[in-house]
Amino acid sequence: MTNYLDKFQSKQPLNVVCIGDSTTSQEWCHPNWIDWINFKFKQSDDYPAGVNRQIINSGYDGQNIGFFLDNFEKTISKFQPDLVILSLGFNHLENLENFEEETIRLIKRIKELGSEIAIWSTYETINPKYSSSLKQASRIYSKIAEQERCLFIDIYSEFRKYHLEKLFTFVHQWENTEWEMEPGEIDFLHCNEIGNQIIAEKVLREIFNTDLDFAKEWISEKGQMGTMIPLDTSKYLL
């Protein structure tokens, strides 16, 4: 069986499904990390690469592993994925007791489709209350990835290289009792476009062995074409 990376590099048809919570769905933030990957898929190579590559955002706000187990056909299997990128964990932080077991169940179901799996960990946030649980969730994913032969992308450690206050600037609009956020407070769950580009660059580099260098050509002398202009993320490093 040809693996996903061979298909990507040889421009064969490739279906990538991204499953996760609101850190994946990201309807309110553009460009988000999936926007960048889709941009790379569609714009960086000549035909037929773009039309052969499909990236499906199957993330759902507020959801967890159990949701994807219960809605497996609607969210994953109907797309016949070559690769599933899994990024869940935030909605498990209050109870990580069954997190590992449920994640393994989901991974095994995905593998039954003949799909490969990459996991990126929950990232660090500006709220230190959750740092310990986020680190634990990341370690669980690392352990599962090694055990189940999945690719692990350590976004948790990646975010810790940056000034987090620069990555979390969205202002929460309503009371969120679950996460103890009040209207007008900084949203510590959802990173901004800077954080999303950091995720995208690490995903592209470690999953697809590529980058966003091609996008620099979209910057013209008299302005910018559209909004897909990569930032210099090195400015935000510690």
Side-chain angles (χ1 to χ4, degrees):
M1 181 176 66
T2 305
N3 71 20
Y4 80 89
L5 188 57
D6 289 338
K7 289 183 176 182
F8 175 77
Q9 294 175 337
S10 61
K11 302 182 183 181
Q12 297 179 53
L14 178 69
N15 289 341
V16 179
V17 174
C18 302
I19 63 172
D21 49 36
S22 55
T23 62
T24 294
S25 58
Q26 293 276 22
E27 296 93 350
W28 60 90
C29 178
H30 298 282
N32 57 49
W33 65 274
I34 294 180
D35 289 336
W36 281 116
I37 296 172
N38 190 52
F39 190 49
K40 172 67 179 181
F41 278 20
K42 297 292 179 67
Q43 294 290 341
S44 62
D45 292 301
D46 295 332
Y47 177 87
V51 72
N52 277 347
R53 296 171 180 165
Q54 301 295 322
I55 183 162
I56 297 101
N57 187 339
S58 201
Y60 285 85
D61 292 3
Q63 298 305 334
N64 54 27
I65 297 291
F67 171 83
F68 288 96
L69 285 168
D70 292 340
N71 297 277
F72 188 78
E73 195 281 329
K74 296 176 183 177
T75 60
I76 302 173
S77 66
K78 75 174 183 179
F79 300 113
Q80 298 181 310
D82 298 290
L83 173 69
V84 173
I85 300 176
L86 191 157
S87 52
L88 286 153
F90 273 99
N91 296 302
H92 291 271
L93 293 185
E94 293 299 325
N95 182 14
L96 287 170
E97 184 177 348
N98 298 318
F99 180 51
E100 181 175 346
E101 178 184 349
E102 289 188 341
T103 301
I104 291 173
R105 282 180 58 204
L106 180 58
I107 286 173
K108 289 186 181 301
R109 287 193 67 181
I110 293 171
K111 283 191 170 184
E112 289 175 357
L113 301 175
S115 173
E116 295 177 272
I117 302 167
I119 304 171
W120 66 258
S121 62
T122 50
Y123 45 63
E124 177 65 291
T125 80
I126 55 173
N127 190 335
K129 175 182 177 179
Y130 296 99
S131 290
S132 177
S133 295
L134 289 167
K135 185 176 183 178
Q136 183 181 355
S138 178
R139 286 177 172 174
I140 290 172
Y141 265 167
S142 177
K143 174 186 173 183
I144 291 172
E146 182 176 3
Q147 175 183 322
E148 300 297 324
R149 301 179 69 181
C150 304
L151 186 60
F152 176 67
I153 314 300
D154 190 356
I155 300 295
Y156 176 81
S157 296
E158 187 71 15
F159 265 41
R160 289 177 63 84
K161 300 175 183 176
Y162 292 85
H163 290 280
L164 292 175
E165 71 275 9
K166 302 295 185 181
L167 310 187
F168 294 89
T169 57
F170 292 148
V171 177
H172 204 65
Q173 301 297 307
W174 55 88
E175 183 180 11
N176 187 324
T177 56
E178 181 180 359
W179 291 98
E180 300 179 348
M181 279 191 285
E182 298 290 337
E185 292 184 343
I186 294 296
D187 183 344
F188 60 82
L189 291 175
H190 305 107
C191 63
N192 59 20
E193 67 277 10
I194 303 168
N196 271 274
Q197 184 180 320
I198 291 168
I199 294 170
E201 289 178 327
K202 192 166 179 68
V203 166
L204 284 169
R205 183 169 61 251
E206 297 193 13
I207 297 181
F208 298 101
N209 194 27
T210 188
D211 52 42
L212 291 174
D213 282 353
F214 81 98
K216 295 175 183 177
E217 298 176 3
W218 287 60
I219 302 176
S220 66
E221 293 181 2
K222 297 182 179 180
Q224 299 177 347
M225 182 174 177
T227 58
M228 302 301 289
I229 307 298
L231 302 167
D232 179 5
T233 57
S234 67
K235 295 190 303 182
Y236 308 104
L237 288 166
L238 293 172

